Amino acid sequence: MNKFLPFLILAIILTLIPPVGSSANTTAIQLGSDVLFNQFHHLIEGKKVGLITNQTGLNSQMVSTIDMLRRDRSVHLTALYAPEHGLDGKTVAGKQVTSFVHPVYAIPVYGLSGSTRKPTPEMLKDIDILLVDLQDIGSRTYTYISTLQYAMIAAKEQGKEVMVLDRPNPLGGTIVEGPVVEPPYRSFIGVDTLPLAHGMTIGELALFFNRTIGVDLTVIPMQGYTRNMIYQQTGLAWIPSSPHIPNLTSVFGYMATGLGEGTPIHQGDYFTWIGAEDLDSHKYADLLNGSLLPGVLFIPENKGTAGGVRLQINDPHQFNPAKTGIYALAYAKQLQTFPIPKSTSMQISMFDKVMGTNKIGLLLEQGKSPQEIVSSYEGDLKKFIELRQKYLIYGDEPFIPMQPLQQKHTKQPEQPKQSEQSKPSKPAKPEKPTPPKTGNHNGTTDQTKKPEPVKKPIPQTPKTSEKIAYLTFDDGPSAVTPRVLDTLKTHQVKATFFIVGREVAGHEAILKRIVAEGHALGGHSYSHNYQLLYKNMDGFFADLEKGSQMIEKAIGVKPTVFRYPGGSTNTVSLKYQDPTRYNKQHTVMQAIKAEAKQRGYMFIDWNVTNGDARSNKYTAAQALANIKQQVKSQKEIVVLMHDSSTKSPTAEALPEIISYLKEKGYRFEVIKADRPTVSNVK
């Protein structure tokens, strides 16, 4: 009994800690777990929650998601699920992760590695929603993402929801490399048609997996994260993800040194060294350094009787782990003769499972150069890159979560049969994920010079049976804007354009056309630069005023309505606010909004978006689908779209969007300062 006393005391202490909430965040990003509790907590309120996690499941303040849920009296944590390496991350690879009743939490902990990799119906019977909070390392062979996929399939079968709390891909989202898994070679280290380095976050992978699963899925995205961000830029501490991945050096070296399963070529010192018995270290280093692989040097180093090289990664942004691993195998094969394990009709070799195909092994045996091997899979890699595009969440601008990403499926998609050795069926046609209503649409600011104070308007709310749509376009003018105006003229529809001041010069004629054709025109800052706008209140209004002056110079009229960059409830401003003047309790946005009210500014938000803020790589069909998904039976909708130079698909989709809204019974109006109700829509 005495040995359990400290655990019981800990449990009592945790019970007494106030529910939810977190302290000031000093990291560059907020994780999905932070965003869940800060913004979307209502999604789990009153639910019985099961959580797949391990020691990596900590928020940006190093508080575990387990503890956050246990402190939260509005939810009931009923079960935990542990992937490979167990709940504490210390179980060695390949060893069975056992199930047990937690001595402190008094709830079951189910092991999902070994003989039971897919949650059974018994394991899921006492939950309403299955949360996933795991730190992946960016490699397809790392089994945490396999556990995610197996769990999604099990949840679909049992009618349970899945919620994934997103985390960074430590390698970033721009390196996509390696052979793509072929159906006969699917396994627990290759559950889907992914290359070795997929360049996706675990949330993006969940959306990708769900195209053939169809579970009711919610992804809680990160805040402030960008596609090209590597882990070192997040400000987060690295928690060892497994016994042999103690640090980020090991993360980056994992694929570069660990691809030789079943061959004499092996890794050492936690994936920082690669070599083999009797290999000539200096010749090996010369070949690898002579290949000019970006971001890395190879230092010859013997380990006992084994020769090899130590990786010195000097530019992790440029370093390509998977390609480096292919080169390391190919050059080792040139220096030393050794057999490549082959698959048979009865069993797939571990080497082919790692590669996801038998083609790499055959090319190595033929003595092909690393350049020829890389060239052999480039076609499949290109197809994957095109396929994954629609499931990506993050772009070049810091992401602002305005709503969770949800996929609600009403009918069963084509689903591949899942077993560790089975051949999955052909994937169903990908289903487009519902993007969040993101404020990360290149920022939107507003005017600074105090406009004429607006008389207190008389609210003119729509009649009960009336439905009004306000079409809005941000970030212009550009060459796309005339195309938008042509469509609006053809369909006899009016819209509102929120103008970025720096785009006015050279486009004055477009602004004059907007006004002449009866559309409304609002301010959207001068610079559209979050860092400048949200450092302090004075800087915000100075930038806003400069934008107003550009608009007034072009059309002779100062705008009276505006849109905040990122919306009035954005949180990206927390990242850029001056810490000597503001904090999480007294934010720059609070100061800006209070001053804006004093100056009589009318700021406009939105409650529907076509999703074009997420990326410049989207289609007109996707933009239309996003509108259809969000428009229900609202009496009043403000539709956020963009007419900057990269948004041609928005112009292309506009005719069908207008036709769809007309079919839904909406009439169109422009936004005016005397319509205050729309300013509250978000």
Side-chain angles (χ1 to χ4, degrees):
M1 174 65 185
N2 289 340
K3 66 180 181 180
F4 290 112
L5 187 58
F7 293 106
L8 295 174
I9 294 172
L10 176 62
I12 293 170
I13 292 172
L14 289 175
T15 304
L16 296 175
I17 296 175
V20 285
S22 62
S23 58
N25 192 345
T26 59
T27 60
I29 69 168
Q30 288 192 12
L31 297 165
S33 55
D34 298 307
V35 175
L36 171 65
F37 284 95
N38 290 337
Q39 289 184 240
F40 305 126
H41 181 262
H42 62 279
L43 296 174
I44 58 172
E45 287 177 4
K47 293 188 177 180
K48 294 183 290 184
V49 174
L51 174 64
I52 303 178
T53 194
N54 59 12
Q55 79 288 347
T56 67
L58 305 179
N59 67 14
S60 61
Q61 300 302 303
M62 303 296 283
V63 180
S64 78
T65 303
I66 297 174
D67 288 342
M68 293 296 288
L69 290 169
R70 294 194 71 249
R71 297 174 190 178
D72 190 343
R73 296 168 195 239
S74 72
V75 302
H76 184 34
L77 180 63
T78 59
L80 294 170
Y81 308 83
E84 186 179 12
H85 307 297
L87 196 63
D88 60 2
K90 295 180 179 179
T91 304
V92 297
K95 187 177 180 181
Q96 175 84 26
V97 176
T98 57
S99 299
F100 60 96
V101 175
H102 200 283
V104 175
Y105 308 143
I107 58 175
V109 180
Y110 298 110
L112 297 179
S113 179
S115 59
T116 306
R117 294 173 172 173
K118 176 181 166 184
T120 64
E122 180 68 18
M123 292 178 180
L124 298 177
K125 68 180 179 66
D126 292 326
I127 71 166
D128 300 317
I129 187 169
L130 186 62
L131 262 64
V132 182
D133 192 14
L134 292 168
Q135 179 59 62
D136 178 41
I137 69 167
S139 170
R140 183 249 301 152
T141 63
Y142 209 65
T143 60
Y144 294 170
I145 65 172
S146 306
T147 294
L148 165 67
Q149 198 246 25
Y150 277 44
M152 289 173 64
I153 292 172
K156 173 63 177 178
E157 292 171 352
Q158 301 305 314
K160 307 294 184 179
E161 298 177 52
V162 173
M163 178 182 290
V164 177
L165 309 182
D166 209 6
R167 289 182 167 273
N169 182 324
L171 308 177
T174 60
I175 299 295
V176 183
E177 185 63 62
V180 178
V181 174
E182 298 171 356
Y185 297 92
R186 291 196 183 185
S187 70
F188 195 53
I189 57 173
V191 294
D192 207 329
T193 53
L194 299 172
L196 280 168
H198 47 71
M200 301 170 79
T201 68
I202 196 167
E204 291 172 332
L205 284 167
L207 296 171
F208 181 81
F209 291 155
N210 208 34
R211 77 196 190 286
T212 58
I213 296 172
V215 71
D216 281 352
L217 172 67
T218 300
V219 174
I220 305 297
M222 294 174 283
Q223 176 181 299
Y225 188 70
T226 63
R227 178 118 242 110
N228 62 359
M229 186 179 282
I230 60 175
Y231 202 88
Q232 290 90 324
Q233 296 175 293
T234 65
L236 300 166
W238 177 256
I239 308 301
S241 56
S242 57
H244 283 84
I245 307 290
N247 51 46
L248 288 171
T249 304
S250 301
V251 172
F252 279 80
Y254 179 78
M255 284 180 283
T257 64
L259 302 183
E261 286 283 349
T263 76
I265 309 303
H266 61 275
Q267 65 86 20
D269 297 340
Y270 304 107
F271 299 100
T272 60
W273 178 92
I274 182 172
E277 290 294 316
D278 301 321
L279 189 67
D280 188 315
S281 298
H282 290 278
K283 288 183 179 179
Y284 195 33
D286 287 345
L287 285 170
L288 285 165
N289 286 323
S291 67
L292 301 179
L293 287 164
V296 62
L297 292 174
F298 301 91
I299 312 302
E301 181 180 314
N302 292 336
K303 295 177 70 66
T305 57
V309 294
R310 182 167 299 278
L311 276 64
Q312 182 177 306
I313 301 169
N314 49 39
D315 188 347
H317 279 284
Q318 298 298 318
F319 179 60
N320 189 320
K323 182 180 286 187
T324 301
I326 296 293
Y327 273 63
L329 284 176
Y331 283 136
K333 190 72 169 66
Q334 287 184 17
L335 293 174
Q336 194 175 84
T337 301
F338 55 84
I340 302 295
K342 292 182 174 60
S343 300
T344 67
S345 59
M346 301 295 295
Q347 186 174 12
I348 300 174
S349 72
M350 183 56 72
F351 184 89
D352 288 346
K353 285 183 181 180
V354 169
M355 295 299 171
T357 174
N358 69 339
K359 294 175 183 175
I360 306 303
L362 294 174
L363 292 170
L364 285 169
E365 284 210 326
Q366 294 166 18
K368 297 296 185 182
S369 70
Q371 294 85 354
E372 289 174 308
I373 295 174
V374 169
S375 178
S376 73
Y377 58 70
E378 285 181 343
D380 289 336
L381 194 59
K382 182 179 180 181
K383 291 177 183 177
F384 166 76
I385 291 171
E386 292 173 353
L387 175 61
R388 80 165 191 157
Q389 185 62 42
K390 67 186 72 175
Y391 305 105
L392 299 182
I393 301 170
Y394 309 98
D396 296 332
E397 296 288 330
F399 189 84
I400 306 168
M402 306 305 282
Q403 69 175 28
L405 283 76
Q406 294 181 310
Q407 290 180 327
K408 298 292 184 181
H409 290 271
T410 56
K411 70 175 185 176
Q412 179 81 25
E414 185 178 343
Q415 181 173 319
K417 294 181 181 178
Q418 180 64 53
S419 69
E420 287 128 45
Q421 299 282 337
S422 64
K423 296 182 181 180
S425 58
K426 186 178 180 181
K429 186 176 181 181
E431 188 162 329
K432 300 180 182 69
T434 302
K437 294 173 185 173
T438 158
N440 182 17
H441 57 283
N442 254 359
T444 39
T445 157
D446 303 292
Q447 228 64 60
T448 237
K449 190 170 184 180
K450 192 188 272 189
E452 296 300 320
V454 207
K455 296 177 183 175
K456 186 101 175 175
I458 302 171
Q460 300 175 20
T461 53
K463 299 174 183 178
T464 306
S465 59
E466 194 174 40
K467 294 162 69 174
I468 300 176
Y470 301 89
L471 302 182
T472 68
F473 298 88
D474 289 10
D475 297 356
S478 77
V480 171
T481 310
R483 294 174 56 192
V484 171
L485 290 169
D486 289 345
T487 298
L488 295 173
K489 188 173 184 178
T490 298
H491 290 265
Q492 298 183 339
V493 166
K494 305 303 180 186
T496 304
F497 294 81
F498 289 99
I499 304 300
V500 174
R502 69 183 183 190
E503 303 297 335
V504 171
H507 292 135
E508 292 87 351
I510 296 177
L511 265 63
K512 291 176 180 177
R513 179 182 172 187
I514 289 172
V515 175
E517 294 183 358
H519 305 291
L521 189 148
H524 198 49
S525 85
Y526 173 80
S527 69
H528 208 279
N529 185 321
Y530 285 79
Q531 189 170 359
L532 295 175
L533 285 164
Y534 289 126
K535 184 176 182 180
N536 55 58
M537 182 187 73
D538 296 333
F540 176 88
F541 284 103
D543 190 282
L544 194 61
E545 171 62 15
K546 187 175 181 180
S548 287
Q549 291 172 351
M550 294 296 294
I551 295 170
E552 185 177 15
K553 184 178 179 181
I555 63 172
V557 178
K558 193 178 298 181
T560 55
V561 293
F562 307 87
R563 178 166 279 163
Y564 282 109
S568 67
T569 60
N570 83 77
T571 52
V572 72
S573 54
L574 295 172
K575 177 180 177 181
Y576 299 114
Q577 66 186 15
D578 184 348
T580 65
R581 297 178 61 176
Y582 310 101
N583 54 43
K584 199 168 184 179
Q585 286 71 43
H586 303 285
T587 68
V588 70
M589 277 306 299
Q590 291 172 342
I592 289 171
K593 287 195 282 189
E595 178 65 15
K597 187 175 182 180
Q598 289 295 319
R599 297 189 184 202
Y601 287 118
M602 183 68 178
F603 288 99
I604 310 300
D605 281 321
W606 63 92
N607 59 354
V608 172
T609 174
N610 70 347
D612 62 0
R614 292 175 57 198
S615 169
N616 292 333
K617 297 179 180 178
Y618 67 103
T619 66
Q622 289 171 333
L624 176 62
N626 289 331
I627 297 289
K628 289 183 176 180
Q629 193 278 333
Q630 294 168 56
V631 174
K632 306 300 181 184
S633 56
Q634 304 99 312
K635 293 295 183 184
E636 189 172 58
I637 59 173
V638 180
V639 183
L640 171 65
M641 295 176 282
H642 295 79
D643 63 327
S644 56
S645 60
T646 59
K647 305 302 179 183
S648 291
T650 293
E652 184 182 343
L654 186 58
E656 290 189 70
I657 289 172
I658 292 172
S659 297
Y660 175 75
L661 293 177
K662 285 183 176 180
E663 290 172 6
K664 296 285 286 185
Y666 286 95
R667 67 177 178 84
F668 300 88
E669 285 192 5
V670 299
I671 291 174
K672 298 178 181 178
D674 63 352
R675 287 300 311 273
T677 54
V678 296
S679 67
N680 302 319
V681 176
K682 189 64 174 282

